[in-house]
Amino acid sequence: MRILIVEDEPDLLRSLAQALREEGYAVDTAPDGEEGFYKADNYGYDAICLDVMLPKMDGWEILKRLRKTKKTPVLMLTARDQTRDRVRGLDTGADDYLVKPFDLDELFARLRSIIRRSANKTTNEIQIGDVKIDTAARNVFVKDKLVELTAREYALVEFMALHRGEVVTRTQLYEHLFDENDETLSNLLDVHVSNVRKKLGAEFIVTRRGHGYCIE
Ligand code: CA
């Protein structure tokens, strides 16, 4: 899962990015509204954490422009706990929001929730044959036995599972599993797919020649 954080307070931006990476997300960052909108509009994110008060373009304007073309789930980060802001956020198409200062665990939970809703899932558990994925704990089980996956392997499994039945292209996977700071060598998608098959079963992810991958 790849997240964009648009936030102009450097310390908060840095600590949020680090915390989300530790949770296993690929994370891109933008320190102002212009760059934030550019990235949100041009790349495929699974969710965006969007600050309201930003230099160059504020969070509301970004959201308004983004909603003309994209449904990317957006979590607004607002410093002001005011009814006016809440109503405005919902009207403009925000999926949820969090009032600063917030608890990191709450941020993680809300992000999982808006990502899940955008994939039309209502619970944290996804069952696919013998494989069970707990998206809150980020654990994967085969026949109720916990399987050790790397952060990247988990991200691959979760993204594919949320798009079960769809053919996911390699381009989509690159876009959703790796962030702007990833080096080419860590981007070995085939290796991750092959490792997941070894751990969860050869048929778990099916290759669709010329198209991509699918969980059926
Ligand atoms: Ca701000």
Side-chain angles (χ1 to χ4, degrees):
M1 296 288 162
R2 186 174 175 187
I3 311 280
L4 172 66
I5 309 170
V6 190
E7 169 63 63
D8 62 321
E9 291 166 42
D11 289 347
L12 182 58
L13 182 61
R14 208 169 21 240
S15 63
L16 273 184
Q18 191 191 342
L20 284 167
R21 287 193 184 110
E22 281 167 10
E23 280 290 292
Y25 293 102
V27 181
D28 288 359
T29 58
D32 64 59
E34 235 168 57
E35 188 175 328
F37 175 70
Y38 177 81
K39 287 181 175 174
D41 194 38
N42 282 280
Y43 305 115
Y45 293 105
D46 297 287
I48 300 171
C49 297
L50 183 58
D51 186 26
V52 172
M53 301 298 285
L54 289 164
K56 296 186 187 173
M57 191 191 295
D58 73 17
W60 302 125
E61 184 63 25
I62 294 175
L63 187 60
K64 198 176 92 191
R65 293 195 191 183
L66 187 67
R67 281 292 173 262
K68 287 180 183 161
T69 52
K70 290 206 169 192
K71 289 188 202 155
T72 317
V74 171
L75 176 65
M76 300 296 288
L77 307 177
T78 171
R80 301 163 299 173
D81 186 13
Q82 294 178 348
T83 318
R84 192 164 52 89
D85 273 1
R86 287 173 188 268
V87 172
R88 187 171 174 189
L90 293 176
D91 280 348
T92 323
D95 296 84
D96 200 356
Y97 39 109
L98 212 45
V99 177
K100 292 177 182 175
F102 48 80
D103 185 68
L104 273 180
D105 284 334
E106 177 153 21
L107 176 87
F108 297 153
R110 300 227 186 174
L111 274 179
R112 284 195 301 269
S113 159
I114 61 174
I115 291 171
R116 207 166 61 211
R117 265 190 278 148
S118 76
N120 293 315
K121 297 279 185 293
T122 50
T123 69
N124 284 320
E125 282 193 5
I126 305 171
Q127 184 86 41
I128 298 170
D130 288 337
V131 178
K132 187 175 81 186
I133 303 156
D134 178 342
T135 59
R138 308 179 66 80
N139 282 330
V140 176
F141 303 86
V142 176
K143 292 179 179 165
D144 292 327
K145 200 164 164 271
L146 182 67
V147 179
E148 295 286 342
L149 296 179
T150 65
R152 275 298 143 70
E153 290 163 8
Y154 176 81
L156 170 67
V157 168
E158 189 186 77
F159 186 78
M160 295 287 307
L162 286 174
H163 295 84
R164 187 182 183 183
E166 298 169 29
V167 175
V168 177
T169 65
R170 294 176 63 86
T171 310
Q172 269 177 297
L173 286 175
Y174 277 112
E175 204 166 58
H176 289 272
L177 302 188
F178 304 109
D179 62 42
E180 57 194 3
N181 300 313
D182 275 311
E183 290 174 24
T184 328
L185 278 180
S186 68
N187 294 7
L188 295 168
L189 191 56
D190 297 315
V191 175
H192 296 309
V193 170
S194 151
N195 287 341
V196 165
R197 283 175 174 151
K198 275 179 208 147
K199 292 174 181 180
L200 303 183
E203 299 300 313
F204 185 68
I205 295 176
V206 178
T207 302
R208 294 283 177 81
R209 293 269 167 241
H211 299 285
Y213 300 103
C214 183
I215 292 182
E216 291 173 334

